[in-house]
PDB file of all heavy atoms in Angstrom:
ATOM      1  N   PHE A 184      20.956  -9.406 -14.713  1.00 39.00           N
ATOM      2  CA  PHE A 184      20.519 -10.777 -14.879  1.00 39.00           C
ATOM      3  C   PHE A 184      21.695 -11.723 -15.063  1.00 39.00           C
ATOM      4  O   PHE A 184      22.590 -11.493 -15.847  1.00 39.00           O
ATOM      5  CB  PHE A 184      19.612 -10.870 -16.118  1.00 39.00           C
ATOM      6  CG  PHE A 184      19.237 -12.265 -16.477  1.00 39.00           C
ATOM      7  CD1 PHE A 184      18.261 -12.924 -15.764  1.00 39.00           C
ATOM      8  CD2 PHE A 184      19.855 -12.921 -17.517  1.00 39.00           C
ATOM      9  CE1 PHE A 184      17.894 -14.212 -16.096  1.00 39.00           C
ATOM     10  CE2 PHE A 184      19.500 -14.211 -17.854  1.00 39.00           C
ATOM     11  CZ  PHE A 184      18.517 -14.848 -17.141  1.00 39.00           C
ATOM     12  N   SER A 185      21.686 -12.780 -14.290  1.00 41.00           N
ATOM     13  CA  SER A 185      22.573 -13.906 -14.555  1.00 41.00           C
ATOM     14  C   SER A 185      21.709 -15.138 -14.352  1.00 41.00           C
ATOM     15  O   SER A 185      21.098 -15.311 -13.302  1.00 41.00           O
ATOM     16  CB  SER A 185      23.772 -13.924 -13.615  1.00 41.00           C
ATOM     17  OG  SER A 185      23.362 -14.126 -12.313  1.00 41.00           O
ATOM     18  N   PRO A 186      21.579 -15.966 -15.382  1.00 41.00           N
ATOM     19  CA  PRO A 186      20.649 -17.087 -15.285  1.00 41.00           C
ATOM     20  C   PRO A 186      21.028 -18.061 -14.194  1.00 41.00           C
ATOM     21  O   PRO A 186      22.208 -18.252 -13.913  1.00 41.00           O
ATOM     22  CB  PRO A 186      20.731 -17.745 -16.671  1.00 41.00           C
ATOM     23  CG  PRO A 186      21.973 -17.216 -17.282  1.00 41.00           C
ATOM     24  CD  PRO A 186      22.315 -15.932 -16.612  1.00 41.00           C
ATOM     25  N   PRO A 187      20.022 -18.677 -13.558  1.00 40.00           N
ATOM     26  CA  PRO A 187      20.329 -19.684 -12.548  1.00 40.00           C
ATOM     27  C   PRO A 187      21.012 -20.863 -13.208  1.00 40.00           C
ATOM     28  O   PRO A 187      20.737 -21.197 -14.346  1.00 40.00           O
ATOM     29  CB  PRO A 187      18.959 -20.069 -12.004  1.00 40.00           C
ATOM     30  CG  PRO A 187      17.983 -19.664 -13.061  1.00 40.00           C
ATOM     31  CD  PRO A 187      18.612 -18.506 -13.783  1.00 40.00           C
ATOM     32  N   ASP A 188      21.928 -21.486 -12.485  1.00 41.00           N
ATOM     33  CA  ASP A 188      22.660 -22.635 -12.998  1.00 41.00           C
ATOM     34  C   ASP A 188      23.320 -22.302 -14.334  1.00 41.00           C
ATOM     35  O   ASP A 188      23.219 -23.054 -15.293  1.00 41.00           O
ATOM     36  CB  ASP A 188      21.735 -23.847 -13.151  1.00 41.00           C
ATOM     37  CG  ASP A 188      21.140 -24.260 -11.819  1.00 41.00           C
ATOM     38  OD1 ASP A 188      21.819 -24.067 -10.799  1.00 41.00           O
ATOM     39  OD2 ASP A 188      20.015 -24.743 -11.806  1.00 41.00           O
ATOM     40  N   TYR A 189      23.971 -21.138 -14.404  1.00 34.00           N
ATOM     41  CA  TYR A 189      24.614 -20.683 -15.624  1.00 34.00           C
ATOM     42  C   TYR A 189      25.473 -21.793 -16.210  1.00 34.00           C
ATOM     43  O   TYR A 189      26.272 -22.408 -15.525  1.00 34.00           O
ATOM     44  CB  TYR A 189      25.491 -19.465 -15.318  1.00 34.00           C
ATOM     45  CG  TYR A 189      26.198 -18.916 -16.508  1.00 34.00           C
ATOM     46  CD1 TYR A 189      25.611 -17.960 -17.307  1.00 34.00           C
ATOM     47  CD2 TYR A 189      27.466 -19.364 -16.826  1.00 34.00           C
ATOM     48  CE1 TYR A 189      26.272 -17.461 -18.391  1.00 34.00           C
ATOM     49  CE2 TYR A 189      28.130 -18.864 -17.913  1.00 34.00           C
ATOM     50  CZ  TYR A 189      27.539 -17.928 -18.698  1.00 34.00           C
ATOM     51  OH  TYR A 189      28.200 -17.441 -19.803  1.00 34.00           O
ATOM     52  N   GLY A 190      25.258 -22.060 -17.497  1.00 40.00           N
ATOM     53  CA  GLY A 190      26.061 -23.053 -18.177  1.00 40.00           C
ATOM     54  C   GLY A 190      25.583 -24.461 -18.000  1.00 40.00           C
ATOM     55  O   GLY A 190      26.154 -25.395 -18.524  1.00 40.00           O
ATOM     56  N   ARG A 191      24.500 -24.642 -17.257  1.00 43.00           N
ATOM     57  CA  ARG A 191      24.000 -25.985 -16.975  1.00 43.00           C
ATOM     58  C   ARG A 191      22.775 -26.240 -17.841  1.00 43.00           C
ATOM     59  O   ARG A 191      21.891 -25.399 -17.940  1.00 43.00           O
ATOM     60  CB  ARG A 191      23.596 -26.077 -15.506  1.00 43.00           C
ATOM     61  CG  ARG A 191      23.099 -27.430 -15.118  1.00 43.00           C
ATOM     62  CD  ARG A 191      22.795 -27.433 -13.610  1.00 43.00           C
ATOM     63  NE  ARG A 191      22.040 -28.596 -13.294  1.00 43.00           N
ATOM     64  CZ  ARG A 191      20.726 -28.627 -13.170  1.00 43.00           C
ATOM     65  NH1 ARG A 191      20.025 -27.548 -13.334  1.00 43.00           N
ATOM     66  NH2 ARG A 191      20.116 -29.738 -12.876  1.00 43.00           N
ATOM     67  N   THR A 192      22.718 -27.381 -18.466  1.00 49.00           N
ATOM     68  CA  THR A 192      21.534 -27.736 -19.230  1.00 49.00           C
ATOM     69  C   THR A 192      20.609 -28.552 -18.355  1.00 49.00           C
ATOM     70  O   THR A 192      20.934 -28.863 -17.217  1.00 49.00           O
ATOM     71  CB  THR A 192      21.900 -28.572 -20.486  1.00 49.00           C
ATOM     72  OG1 THR A 192      22.564 -29.751 -20.059  1.00 49.00           O
ATOM     73  CG2 THR A 192      22.769 -27.773 -21.427  1.00 49.00           C
ATOM     74  N   LEU A 193      19.488 -28.920 -18.919  1.00 54.00           N
ATOM     75  CA  LEU A 193      18.522 -29.751 -18.202  1.00 54.00           C
ATOM     76  C   LEU A 193      19.203 -30.933 -17.705  1.00 54.00           C
ATOM     77  O   LEU A 193      19.368 -31.594 -16.945  1.00 54.00           O
ATOM     78  CB  LEU A 193      17.390 -30.174 -19.117  1.00 54.00           C
ATOM     79  CG  LEU A 193      16.578 -29.078 -19.730  1.00 54.00           C
ATOM     80  CD1 LEU A 193      15.575 -29.647 -20.707  1.00 54.00           C
ATOM     81  CD2 LEU A 193      15.831 -28.316 -18.681  1.00 54.00           C
TER      82      LEU A 193
END
Side-chain angles (χ1 to χ4, degrees):
F184 173 78
S185 65
D188 299 329
Y189 180 89
R191 181 177 167 263
T192 60
L193 300 175

